[in-house]
């Protein structure tokens, strides 16, 4: 039974408030969406944002785990026909409207729970598996709402989403260390001849990033850049209204990698940032692409072959 109109309206309003209270690229991207798609995107984003905040901002891992268990019960109720309340009322309507799959929601929660106990990664495959659950589900939900849920679409989206996650990791090495997390895999550090004590000592002494660490970060940035390039053809095989958003996120991620390189990979002493002028240029480019889509609503989408998905070494 659908919820009363006033309860649904309140839930949708709350989702909009959650989305608009965070200064992130999502807000800019939402302006590029057709009006009919904005509320569904707010509903999904509100779930992702509040669950992520519960994972990162709770007073302790135990409290975070308890909060995430409540999210899991709400998702179970939503998909199994149980009782849902609050913003989940709005999400339930969106899930039914677009027939969204349950797995991306469960995968996200699995990753957030993992954050409470796993703060180091032994090798790149372990880190990529984390990205598979912490980043890729968001792209898959967006594609499902756009009616683009083929393996080809998912393959390309996964590349972009994982690349975005990795770019954020290499931008925020210092910030992550401050909260007890090191995402640079141990195997990568060993390959370049150092261990986490080098990171710790460099940050604690406020010294420039050692050359060995810079080489490791540069290598990982190159891997992320390769993923962006493999995934960018996605913008050519989705509806025109979504292509502008995909282009915006990919360009933003690549610009983050450029900002890291411009600092010569000195990520332990400085946090690389994309200049506001550059960000504004990306937004203008996305807006122009969106306006072009409005002017040519019958534009055809191009079919592409699925790229080689072998992981970079």
């Amino acid at each position: 039974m659908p919820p009363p109109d006033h309860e649904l309206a309140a839930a949708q309003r709350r989702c909009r408030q959650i989305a608009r209270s965070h200064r992130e690229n999502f807000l800019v991207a939402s302006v590029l969406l057709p009006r009919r798609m904005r509320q569904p995107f707010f509903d999904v984003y509100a779930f992702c944002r509040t669950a992520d905040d519960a994972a990162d901002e709770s007073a302790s891992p135990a409290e975070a785990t308890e909060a995430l268990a409540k999210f899991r019960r709400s998702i179970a109720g939503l998909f199994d026909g149980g009782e849902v309340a609050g913003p989940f009322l709005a999400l339930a309507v969106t899930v039914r409207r677009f027939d969204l799959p349950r797995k991306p929601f469960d995968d996200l929660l699995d990753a957030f729970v993992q954050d409470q106990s796993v703060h180091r990664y032994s090798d790149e495959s372990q880190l990529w598996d984390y990205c598979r659950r912490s980043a890729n589900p968001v792209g898959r939900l967006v594609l499902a709402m756009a009616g683009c849920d083929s393996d080809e679409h998912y393959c390309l989206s996964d590349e972009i989403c994982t690349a975005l996650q990795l770019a954020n990791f290499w931008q925020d090495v210092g910030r992550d260390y401050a909260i007890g997390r090191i995402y640079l895999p141990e195997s990568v550090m060993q390959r370049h001849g150092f261990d986490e004590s080098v990171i710790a000592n460099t940050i604690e002494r406020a010294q420039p990033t050692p050359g060995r660490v810079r080489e490791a970060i540069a290598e990982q940035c190159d891997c992320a850049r390769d993923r962006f390039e493999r995934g960018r053809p996605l913008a050519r095989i989705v509806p025109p209204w979504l292509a502008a958003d995909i282009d915006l996120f990919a360009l933003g991620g690549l610009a983050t990698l450029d900002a890291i390189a411009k600092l010569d990979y000195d990520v332990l002493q400085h946090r690389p940032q994309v200049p506001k002028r550059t960000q504004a240029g990306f937004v203008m480019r996305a807006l122009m692409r969106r306006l072009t889509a409005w002017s040519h609503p019958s534009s055809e989408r191009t079919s592409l072959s699925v790229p080689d998905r072998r992981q970079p070494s």
Side-chain angles (χ1 to χ4, degrees):
M1 178 182 298
D5 289 346
H6 71 280
E7 291 185 11
L8 176 58
Q12 292 175 331
R13 184 167 58 251
R14 178 56 183 151
C15 289
R16 292 193 298 271
Q17 291 171 345
I18 291 170
R20 290 168 177 164
S21 67
H22 289 79
R23 296 179 179 179
E24 296 185 356
N25 285 339
F26 178 87
L27 280 183
V28 176
S30 69
V31 176
L32 304 175
L33 297 172
R35 186 175 298 275
R36 71 181 186 280
M37 298 300 299
R38 291 177 191 172
Q39 184 64 52
F41 271 69
F42 287 142
D43 298 339
V44 171
Y45 176 83
F47 163 80
C48 299
R49 181 72 270 162
T50 53
D52 194 13
D53 287 347
D56 286 345
E57 299 179 6
S58 295
S60 67
E63 183 177 306
T65 301
E66 181 179 350
L68 291 168
K70 293 179 180 178
F71 277 89
R72 198 178 294 279
R73 288 194 292 272
S74 293
I75 288 295
L78 190 157
F79 280 93
D80 297 338
E83 183 177 348
V84 296
F88 281 93
L89 288 172
L91 181 60
V93 170
T94 290
V95 166
R96 289 195 296 270
R97 174 181 170 187
F98 295 97
D99 193 24
L100 299 183
R102 177 174 174 173
K103 190 174 187 302
F105 295 100
D106 286 334
D107 283 347
L108 279 170
L109 292 174
D110 287 344
F112 295 153
V113 170
Q114 177 177 313
D115 281 335
Q116 308 315 307
S117 59
V118 178
H119 303 145
R120 303 291 189 275
Y121 292 84
S122 62
D123 54 36
E124 289 154 298
S125 63
Q126 190 179 62
L127 182 64
W128 294 330
D129 179 67
Y130 172 74
C131 294
R132 178 184 62 78
R133 290 173 289 116
S134 66
N136 297 2
V138 178
R140 291 184 172 224
L141 287 170
V142 169
L143 289 175
M145 285 191 284
C148 302
D149 53 357
S150 72
D151 289 342
E152 181 180 14
H153 290 97
Y154 283 162
C155 172
L156 297 171
S157 174
D158 288 351
E159 295 285 10
I160 291 175
C161 290
T162 291
L164 281 168
Q165 179 99 81
L166 294 174
N168 288 337
F169 286 158
W170 313 142
Q171 179 186 36
D172 286 331
V173 176
R175 286 188 177 186
D176 290 331
Y177 176 79
I179 60 174
R181 297 176 182 172
I182 296 179
Y183 289 101
L184 194 63
E186 293 173 4
S187 62
V188 173
M189 292 189 279
Q190 291 172 1
R191 189 161 67 239
H192 289 272
F194 67 94
D195 58 27
E196 71 172 72
S197 67
V198 174
I199 295 176
N201 291 334
T202 301
I203 292 175
E204 290 167 6
R205 296 173 183 175
Q207 295 176 335
T209 304
R212 290 171 294 174
V213 179
R214 295 184 195 224
E215 291 171 3
I217 296 297
E219 174 191 81
Q220 294 304 300
C221 285
D222 287 344
C223 290
R225 189 179 298 277
D226 288 345
R227 285 183 179 273
F228 276 123
E229 296 304 333
R230 291 200 296 268
R232 287 188 69 184
L234 178 64
R236 303 209 304 267
I237 58 170
V238 297
W241 60 262
L242 182 57
D245 281 346
I246 292 171
D247 200 37
L248 177 64
F249 283 114
L251 287 173
L254 287 166
T256 297
L257 298 177
D258 289 341
I260 296 171
K262 189 174 182 179
L263 286 177
D264 194 22
Y265 306 97
D266 188 9
V267 294
L268 301 185
Q269 191 171 48
H270 305 284
R271 182 178 186 269
Q273 296 191 53
V274 179
K276 292 187 181 298
R277 180 179 298 181
T278 301
Q279 296 179 40
F282 293 154
V283 173
M284 288 303 299
R285 171 173 169 166
L287 285 171
M288 290 302 296
R289 185 165 187 165
R290 183 73 183 96
L291 290 172
T292 300
W294 282 335
S295 302
H296 303 86
S298 61
S299 58
E300 296 291 334
R301 288 179 284 171
T302 304
S303 177
L304 297 174
S305 59
V306 178
D308 185 352
R309 296 202 70 215
R310 290 174 293 179
Q311 302 285 13
S313 59

